Amino acid sequence: MRPAPICATMLVLALAACQPVRPDAPPAAAATAAVPADDNLNAVLWVQRSAEYRALLEQAYRAATDKLDAALADPQWNALVEGEREGDGAGLKPAVVLDIDETVLDNSPYQARLVRDGGEYSDPSWDAWVEERKARAVPGVVEFARAANARGITLVYISNRAVHLTEATLDNLRAEGLPVEGEDVFLGLGLKVPGCEQHGSEKDCRRILASRKYRVLMQFGDQLGDFVRIGDNTPARHQALLERHRDWFGSRWWILPNPTYGGWEPALFDNNWKQPREARRAAKRAALETAP
Ligand SMILES: [Mg+2]
């Protein structure tokens, strides 16, 4: 191709420089090509940067605080389902049961690092994050804990953090101003409960253990499995559990938003994490509901 005369080239460049740039113009393709896609980008940003997330957490914990006195006064009030408690709790000390991750402690910096680095969850990277002891308390929970403490209510943490992370977890909770009273208020994954057969990471055995010592007034979590045994992890099962127990949400059970991970996600790809990331993403795209 014959080169354009120098004077003509300079004229084209000068005209281009004079073109106004629209503020809503998409960035040049070369600039966007270097930014990797990640399924979790928006979810992590929503947790970290939106006022709406903070408001939802504060709203939930404030509403729960408002119900503590009614729960204490009603001897029939119990937040554990039949089959996941021993007895009706009469005469036992009152307690509330809380999950830890995304219920009490905010692990979004760990998720943000995965997005930044293009990584996915792994036990070693998770353990390293927990050992840092730097997770912050989620909005509203410290105020709720103070209100519960003032009424003589014990906080019991039932978490799927493994028991080898107990010390780091308790250090982190205390540093964030959360009460950790006694030896048996952290019931982590791997704890053996006499008389109860453990299934995977289900929490039912640990709820039974809590019921031997406490009348559980409320449960807090970001997953259905924080409240009741799930069994088969399928979307249909999740919906059935919601149908059965929906009256308890907002009184005995308090669920908190977590868009960044949870059992709902693998339920969409047959719980098969061994599939390549692209295959899991394809299954999730296939699960999109594009018609009402
Ligand atoms: Mg959780």
Side-chain angles (χ1 to χ4, degrees):
M1 190 171 68
R2 196 164 60 109
I6 290 176
C7 57
T9 304
M10 290 179 69
L11 179 62
V12 168
L13 288 173
L15 285 172
C18 290
Q19 294 296 313
V21 177
R22 284 173 44 210
D24 59 343
T32 55
V35 180
D38 191 294
D39 291 5
N40 232 1
L41 175 61
N42 261 17
V44 174
L45 283 174
W46 185 73
V47 168
Q48 294 192 324
R49 297 295 193 172
S50 77
E52 288 84 355
Y53 172 77
R54 172 167 287 272
L56 276 167
L57 271 285
E58 291 177 355
Q59 171 179 286
Y61 275 115
R62 201 177 308 129
T65 303
D66 289 344
K67 289 198 182 292
L68 281 176
D69 290 331
L72 273 171
D74 179 356
Q76 303 301 315
W77 187 299
N78 197 306
L80 300 182
V81 300
E82 296 274 350
E84 294 195 9
R85 59 182 158 101
E86 293 180 357
D88 60 5
L92 299 180
K93 283 185 61 177
V96 292
V97 165
L98 302 102
D99 166 55
I100 290 180
D101 296 314
E102 284 41 81
T103 298
V104 173
L105 295 179
D106 166 16
N107 300 290
S108 65
Y110 172 72
Q111 300 292 334
R113 293 176 194 180
L114 294 179
V115 172
R116 179 195 63 191
D117 301 337
E120 292 197 276
Y121 172 90
S122 71
D123 288 341
S125 66
W126 171 252
D127 287 8
W129 159 252
V130 172
E131 291 291 351
E132 288 182 34
R133 298 159 163 83
K134 285 182 181 165
R136 304 299 308 272
V138 301
V141 70
V142 172
E143 293 79 3
F144 171 81
R146 284 199 198 109
N149 256 11
R151 291 164 172 79
I153 299 169
T154 300
L155 272 65
V156 176
Y157 306 95
I158 299 184
S159 168
N160 280 339
R161 289 188 174 201
V163 289
H164 70 267
L165 298 170
T166 299
E167 191 178 330
T169 298
L170 300 190
D171 286 349
N172 198 158
L173 289 171
R174 290 191 185 102
E176 286 298 298
L178 287 148
V180 181
E181 296 166 349
E183 300 275 307
D184 54 356
V185 295
F186 173 74
L187 311 180
L189 185 62
L191 182 74
K192 297 275 188 290
V193 177
C196 186
E197 184 183 353
Q198 178 71 35
H199 293 92
S201 58
E202 297 271 15
K203 295 180 168 179
D204 50 336
C205 287
R206 286 168 282 167
R207 284 189 281 267
I208 288 171
L209 182 62
S211 81
R212 293 172 185 168
K213 188 169 180 180
Y214 300 103
R215 178 164 74 101
V216 175
L217 304 178
M218 295 179 180
Q219 296 199 85
F220 295 80
D222 63 298
Q223 308 287 321
L224 281 178
D226 294 328
F227 304 91
V228 66
R229 184 175 170 180
I230 295 287
D232 293 337
N233 190 46
T234 64
R237 175 69 175 154
H238 288 213
Q239 289 301 320
L241 286 170
L242 174 59
E243 295 297 326
R244 189 181 307 165
H245 300 293
R246 68 161 25 103
D247 289 350
W248 281 17
F249 287 104
S251 57
R252 301 178 196 204
W253 293 0
W254 298 87
I255 194 151
L256 307 165
N258 177 7
T260 65
Y261 64 89
W264 59 272
E265 184 188 8
L268 299 175
F269 51 77
D270 292 331
N271 302 292
N272 182 4
W273 285 102
K274 291 181 178 167
Q275 298 174 86
R277 207 171 186 176
E278 289 69 25
R280 285 180 266 135
R281 178 176 295 138
K284 288 191 288 185
R285 284 182 62 88
L288 286 168
E289 296 175 338
T290 55

